[in-house]
Amino acid sequence: MSAQQSGHQGHSTMKVTLHVWRQKDARDPGRMVGYPNVECSPDMSFLEMLDVLNERLMEKGEEPIAFDSDCREGICGACSLTVNGIPHGPRKGTTVCQLHMRSFEDGAELFIEPWRAKAFPVLRDLVVDRSAFDRIIEAGGFVSVRAGGCPDGNAIPVPKEEADQAMDAAACIGCGACVAACPNAAAMLFVGAKISHLRHLPQGQAEQKRRAQAMVDQMDSEGFGNCSNYLECEAVCPKEISVKVIAEMNRDYLSASLTREEQKNDGGGAG
Amino acid sequence: MSWVCRLYRSSLGAKYVMASTGVLLLGFLIAHLLGNLQMFAGADAVNSYAESLRALGPLLWVARIGLLVIAGVHIVTALRLAKANEAARPVAYVKQASRQVKPQTKTMVLSGLVILGYVVYHLAHFTWGFVLHDYSTLVDTEGRHDVYSMVVYGFQCWWVSASYLVALALLALHLCHGITSAFQTFGLNHAKYATAIKLTGPAIATLLFLGYASIPVACWLGIVQILEGT
Ligand code: HEM
Ligand code: FES
């Protein structure tokens, strides 16, 4: 990072030219709009740079660019911009809210687009509707036990390797970059991560098969694509979740389909 | 809906079908190669092998129809997946980029369709005798169909050999991705074997390419040739 920083010491400013997807509402076909010479500081985050541009637009009486954000700390999964064709932009393992302008050359030309997938319809500009993910979680991404009070630590023994695998998968913030990056707009990495983080823990194992079936079936009905093992999801995931979780989902779904008796109350709806 | 239909209609089920039919087709490719390599053992070996295959009679038809069904299911499912994948992104990115999409993965449908086209031509040549017809009616000294000479004469024709090598290269490309991908589809992914699995596809693809390509090359170099009196 220091090598990148050294070019822009102190309170210097830089300029970038933006091409931003503008779309009034879900029905508008949308188009790219150019914003030349946007001035910003190399120390600003990508979203702060957009805030500055939005202030300028509002001063001129124009509609600001709509985009999602919440924590701006890389933990909530709200931010969702595709920068020059890569979800969350050029830095590996980094959400776009944690991306700094010093990652770009002065004078860079940046194309900013929303996540593009049938299952993530654009609501406005760069904001997409990701409720398909919520419905997948509702279908099975939970544990149906009465949790009761807080249990004693280590009351249920979990081997360290299993706990680590569950934690690695649980790092998923559900941002949807995997869908945005996949040439097939598939949601396999997200669903795999949610399945994996529960299947490695004793509390999640009772419903392992039902969960895999219910979540995959919901994923299919939302219109996401299929996995061709491009592995692009893993490469852009800001939490660097491995496609190993997809293999685990494939295993669970196969064994569920082959061995599980179908039950009447299956198919959607939280238990 | 029975569980089999439900499985086949699902996104993951379609992939299990792709991977199983793909592995079965790979099994055929290996068996076919072992048969073909008998070209190096001489005319008698190849012609009697061909004769013994034909002598299987109805069993040969069972194998042929089985292969046809497997290939048909692989292709129909591939096209269904390709269509669904296209539909999943109705609006394309204005700026396209990727971090690790590989050409062999992007071109699975293309390499598959070229293989399909080549297989039809290949059958027209060596099985149905529509191409270079005169060589397909040769008979050896023992009165058997002279497959050995048919193959050697066939590969002496430059475009037969060239198209064979091009199709083989695309098949190898298909398998580079396909075999490694099939492991992941069946859920076989473990850090301990990750490198081995990554290399299996390219390794098997290369071996198959070299094995199949050795036959036309041996024909050009005269290692495999028509001997007097056959
Ligand atoms: C001898 C011939 C063939 C062999 C051995 C073979 C083998 C395979 C294997 C092992 C896979 C990997 C499945 C997976 O990802 O799990 C695959 C995928 C695929 N095959 Fe083939 N294949 C053959 C012919 C064809 C043909 C004729 C087509 C025609 C369209 C085709 C189209 C595809 C496609 C599109 C995929 C990728 C599916 C996806 O991941 O979305 N293949 N093949
Ligand atoms: S805004 Fe919360 S992760 Fe980016």
Side-chain angles (χ1 to χ4, degrees):
Chain A
M1 185 140 80
S2 58
Q4 276 173 338
Q5 261 170 331
S6 63
H8 319 280
Q9 287 277 317
H11 300 285
S12 61
T13 61
M14 62 186 283
K15 277 183 185 160
V16 286
T17 293
L18 304 182
H19 301 272
V20 183
W21 184 259
R22 301 301 311 258
Q23 183 172 336
K24 274 196 190 65
D25 53 37
R27 266 162 303 157
D28 180 27
R31 67 203 167 94
M32 295 300 274
V33 175
Y35 299 94
N37 298 320
V38 177
E39 215 166 289
C40 62
S41 145
D43 298 329
M44 281 179 182
S45 77
F46 200 84
L47 301 188
E48 283 167 335
M49 179 275 294
L50 286 180
D51 291 338
V52 168
L53 171 61
N54 271 347
E55 271 167 36
R56 237 182 53 187
L57 291 179
M58 284 187 286
E59 276 163 20
K60 286 197 284 183
E62 290 177 33
E63 272 296 313
I65 300 162
F67 62 91
D68 260 329
S69 80
D70 190 359
C71 70
R72 299 204 176 192
E73 288 182 345
I75 54 176
C76 76
C79 58
S80 45
L81 305 179
T82 303
V83 183
N84 284 347
I86 306 280
H88 289 301
R91 268 182 77 90
K92 275 205 87 163
T94 308
T95 55
V96 73
C97 62
Q98 291 275 289
L99 179 70
H100 289 92
M101 292 312 293
R102 57 178 172 266
S103 298
F104 302 98
E105 297 285 324
D106 190 12
E109 201 168 2
L110 306 175
F111 289 75
I112 310 174
E113 297 176 68
W115 287 175
R116 294 201 187 276
K118 181 168 169 251
F120 286 165
V122 173
L123 296 175
R124 187 187 187 125
D125 296 339
L126 303 168
V127 177
V128 299
D129 176 3
R130 282 172 285 183
S131 55
F133 271 13
D134 300 338
R135 289 187 292 273
I136 293 172
I137 296 293
E138 277 167 29
F142 52 81
V143 172
S144 323
V145 289
R146 297 218 179 279
C150 184
D152 287 341
N154 298 331
I156 304 170
V158 181
K160 166 101 170 70
E161 305 81 57
E162 292 292 314
D164 283 350
Q165 292 189 59
M167 288 303 283
D168 286 350
C172 170
I173 52 177
C175 63
C178 44
V179 175
C182 176
N184 302 342
M188 303 287 169
L189 195 69
F190 168 76
V191 180
K194 298 305 168 195
I195 284 176
S196 178
H197 106 246
L198 293 172
R199 82 195 280 283
H200 283 288
L201 297 174
Q203 295 90 336
Q205 277 154 9
E207 292 164 294
Q208 187 170 344
K209 288 182 182 175
R210 193 203 81 87
R211 173 181 307 118
Q213 269 185 326
M215 292 181 80
V216 170
D217 291 349
Q218 185 63 35
M219 167 180 82
D220 288 353
S221 68
E222 296 289 351
F224 291 105
N226 308 279
C227 183
S228 293
N229 295 323
Y230 285 104
L231 314 189
E232 188 68 11
C233 51
E234 167 185 88
V236 304
C237 175
K239 299 297 152 185
E240 301 187 290
I241 290 178
S242 155
V243 293
K244 194 197 71 179
V245 300
I246 299 179
E248 289 178 346
M249 168 179 67
N250 290 345
R251 219 183 298 159
D252 282 358
Y253 191 77
L254 184 59
S255 89
S257 301
L258 295 182
T259 62
R260 197 169 159 271
E261 297 289 339
E262 257 156 76
Q263 266 142 40
K264 288 220 171 60
N265 58 354
D266 263 16
Chain B
M1 192 178 12
S2 87
W3 67 270
V4 179
C5 290
R6 185 176 155 183
L7 180 59
Y8 179 69
R9 284 186 196 187
S10 72
S11 57
L12 300 195
K15 284 306 303 264
Y16 305 141
V17 169
M18 285 309 289
S20 342
T21 50
V23 168
L24 289 170
L25 290 171
L26 175 65
F28 165 76
L29 286 178
I30 293 171
H32 188 48
L33 173 62
L34 294 178
N36 290 1
L37 286 177
Q38 295 180 65
M39 284 297 290
F40 290 99
D44 189 47
V46 174
N47 293 350
S48 67
Y49 170 67
E51 186 85 352
S52 65
L53 281 185
R54 295 217 165 180
L56 290 174
L59 270 183
L60 182 61
W61 277 104
V62 172
R64 281 173 169 166
I65 291 169
L67 259 179
L68 203 66
V69 170
I70 292 166
V73 170
H74 188 81
I75 294 164
V76 168
T77 311
L79 298 180
R80 183 194 115 193
L81 284 171
K83 212 175 121 203
N85 292 340
E86 219 173 279
R89 174 156 300 133
V91 182
Y93 285 103
V94 173
K95 184 85 176 174
Q96 310 248 357
S98 76
R99 280 225 172 104
Q100 64 178 22
V101 169
K102 300 208 172 60
Q104 64 265 36
T105 315
K106 263 215 121 85
T107 52
M108 285 302 272
V109 174
L110 183 71
S111 59
L113 289 176
V114 173
I115 297 165
L116 175 64
Y118 185 79
V119 167
V120 173
Y121 154 75
H122 190 68
L123 289 172
H125 182 175
F126 288 124
T127 306
W128 304 325
F130 296 163
V131 183
L132 303 178
H133 177 72
D134 292 347
Y135 299 133
S136 66
T137 51
L138 297 173
V139 172
D140 71 3
T141 46
E142 291 181 38
R144 297 174 299 201
H145 178 214
D146 192 355
V147 173
Y148 182 86
S149 303
M150 171 178 76
V151 171
V152 177
Y153 284 128
F155 282 137
Q156 278 170 358
C157 174
W158 72 268
W159 57 262
V160 170
S161 290
S163 63
Y164 185 77
L165 291 178
V166 169
L168 270 182
L170 283 163
L171 175 67
L173 213 62
H174 195 80
L175 293 179
C176 262
H177 172 74
I179 294 171
T180 295
S181 175
F183 281 93
Q184 170 80 0
T185 300
F186 284 128
L188 303 172
N189 180 327
H190 192 287
K192 217 164 160 179
Y193 307 104
T195 314
I197 289 173
K198 209 168 167 177
L199 294 178
T200 308
I204 297 180
T206 310
L207 283 177
L208 278 181
F209 179 85
L210 292 177
Y212 277 106
S214 71
I215 296 162
V217 170
C219 289
W220 301 334
L221 298 179
I223 299 168
V224 168
Q225 56 181 320
I226 309 281
L227 297 175
E228 294 302 311
T230 51

